[in-house]
Amino acid sequence: MIWTAGFRTAVISPYEQVKLSEPRGFADQTVRQVLHLAGGGERLRVHLTNRYGRTPLTIGAATVATEHGQANLTFDGSEKLTIPPGAEAVGDPTDLPIDPGADLILSLYLPEETGLATYSHKPAENAHIATGNHVTSPALPQAEQVEARFYVSGVDVLAPDDTAIAVAFGDSWFEGVGSTIGANNRSVDVLNRRLKRGWVVNQGIAGNRLLRDEVGEHALARFDRDVLSIPGLTHVLVHIGMNDLGLPGMSGEPPASSADLIEGFKTLAHRAHQADLTILAATIGPFAGAIYPGISTPEGLAARREVNDWIRTTDTFDAVFDVARAVENPEAPDYIHPDLDSGDGMHLNDKGAQAMANAVDLETLAL
């Protein structure tokens, strides 16, 4: 048996300049979060993080619950924990089975002022927040709901030695922006429902770039932590580059060049192959007509076409899944097909997420 990732969520700093959601902190509050696990096991352990915090993070109490019951979390035998700024903590193994595709309910009581929280900002799932310590309560009284995850970076499960794991690494098209909140219809969820063996954990960050920080540390910078650190990993799927082309326009900067993006992709593939991983690259999805100012520019769209032509023909990757073709409007290929558009011209709805997942040839993802 091995400990490996049953769930992952990539986190960002609340102190970034580019903000797609409002950061927040806590004091004398319970934060309850639904974690949809890609894989299951007989035991589990939870990863908590204060990676971008500027003050110590005190966990006064914590519980996890599945359909098989509820358990208190402990850390080196204690139900209380303080995580220094910049640090992370892994809970003690908990004898609570969880099935693949099931939800784990994580409740954290935060008794002291936390400062702004390390968080996942667009996870297509709501956190529930209530005053006081309610980690063992079946329901939270007068709970506030907010789309985010706070202070959690993953859940490990105890699984058979031959368990095969892949990671979806990239941007909002993996994290799930545009899909129905709380419905588990992200492209990665749909892909997991297609698999006969193994599973894919989700390390997408909405707004993430290949070459530059914000939103989140750029892909080349976070690759070791968010990909190579996962035990039993065999494959990495990549969808990134859209924000290198679109986000600069929001601040009046030129988009990344196609040449720079291609070099970044080559570096990513080289590092994956050095780690004996199979790497599958997606073509960059269409974003013409995006409603956000400065995103959709002639220069950025032209670079997207150049990079996609290279992705489709290069031998840099082990396989390609042509997301762009799967979701584009055939009459205007720079645009998402109207039936698949979430409404903002840049993200996929549930049906679009399904089309993205279906673009992956499972023979190239033989876990």
Side-chain angles (χ1 to χ4, degrees):
M1 303 293 280
I2 61 167
W3 286 103
T4 191
F7 169 83
R8 286 293 185 269
T9 182
V11 296
I12 66 170
S13 168
Y15 299 102
E16 294 188 354
Q17 296 301 307
V18 180
K19 293 181 174 65
L20 304 185
S21 66
E22 195 60 35
R24 64 176 299 160
F26 304 94
D28 185 28
Q29 289 171 300
T30 296
V31 181
R32 179 162 294 171
Q33 309 181 70
V34 179
L35 312 180
H36 186 67
L37 265 69
E42 292 303 308
R43 308 176 80 195
L44 60 88
R45 61 188 187 189
V46 175
H47 291 242
L48 300 181
T49 178
N50 194 24
R51 183 181 302 152
Y52 301 110
R54 296 182 177 177
T55 58
L57 170 65
T58 298
I59 308 294
T63 62
V64 286
T66 73
E67 61 182 5
H68 299 289
Q70 185 181 80
N72 295 328
L73 286 185
T74 60
F75 302 85
D76 292 328
S78 174
E79 293 187 359
K80 295 183 179 180
L81 171 71
T82 298
I83 307 176
E88 305 198 350
V90 181
D92 299 328
T94 301
D95 292 320
L96 189 63
I98 188 157
D99 302 321
D103 289 340
L104 179 75
I105 311 302
L106 170 68
S107 299
L108 303 175
Y109 174 55
L110 308 169
E112 301 175 6
E113 290 276 358
T114 63
L116 292 179
T118 297
Y119 70 132
S120 303
H121 66 156
K122 301 294 286 185
E125 186 61 78
N126 286 326
H128 301 261
I129 303 157
T131 301
N133 183 354
H134 300 281
V135 297
T136 60
S137 302
L140 294 186
Q142 299 178 321
E144 175 190 359
Q145 293 187 44
V146 58
E147 187 195 357
R149 295 191 190 105
F150 301 99
Y151 298 124
V152 58
S153 59
V155 179
D156 292 342
V157 294
L158 192 61
D161 291 341
D162 62 351
T163 300
I165 307 295
V167 58
F169 181 68
D171 56 27
S172 57
W173 284 39
F174 280 147
E175 189 171 19
V177 176
S179 66
T180 301
I181 293 176
N184 301 317
N185 284 331
R186 310 165 192 88
S187 61
V188 181
D189 301 326
V190 178
L191 181 57
N192 274 319
R193 293 195 282 268
R194 294 183 63 209
L195 295 175
K196 299 290 193 292
R197 180 177 181 273
W199 59 78
V200 183
V201 293
N202 193 339
Q203 292 281 38
I205 296 176
N208 199 223
R209 291 189 259 189
L210 177 61
L211 303 176
R212 293 182 58 183
D213 288 347
E214 298 205 22
V215 176
E217 296 173 46
H218 66 275
L220 294 175
R222 68 184 182 97
F223 188 76
D224 286 6
R225 181 186 68 234
D226 287 351
V227 175
L228 299 186
S229 66
I230 297 174
L233 190 69
T234 61
H235 292 65
V236 54
L237 300 91
V238 176
H239 180 278
I240 203 157
M242 177 182 294
N243 297 301
D244 295 78
L245 299 173
L247 274 187
M250 295 180 71
S251 56
E253 303 171 81
S257 71
S258 56
D260 286 344
L261 279 174
I262 287 169
E263 285 305 307
F265 277 119
K266 288 179 178 178
T267 300
L268 208 59
H270 176 69
R271 289 170 62 185
H273 288 145
Q274 278 188 314
D276 294 324
L277 298 179
T278 298
I279 181 168
L280 288 69
T283 48
I284 301 171
F287 57 90
I291 63 173
Y292 311 106
I295 294 286
S296 177
T297 66
E299 297 82 7
L301 294 170
R304 184 187 81 94
R305 291 190 291 270
E306 292 169 7
V307 173
N308 282 351
D309 287 344
W310 172 79
I311 290 173
R312 292 181 181 116
T313 56
T314 184
D315 60 0
T316 299
F317 309 106
D318 299 290
V320 170
F321 53 115
D322 201 342
V323 170
R325 289 264 164 81
V327 304
E328 70 189 17
N329 182 346
E331 297 178 3
D334 284 334
Y335 291 78
I336 298 172
H337 192 287
D339 291 345
L340 309 180
D341 189 344
S342 69
D344 66 0
M346 193 175 184
H347 295 104
L348 302 174
N349 60 19
D350 291 357
K351 190 176 177 182
Q354 183 170 1
M356 180 178 182
N358 290 344
V360 178
D361 181 351
L362 294 190
E363 290 190 7
T364 66
L365 189 61
L367 296 180

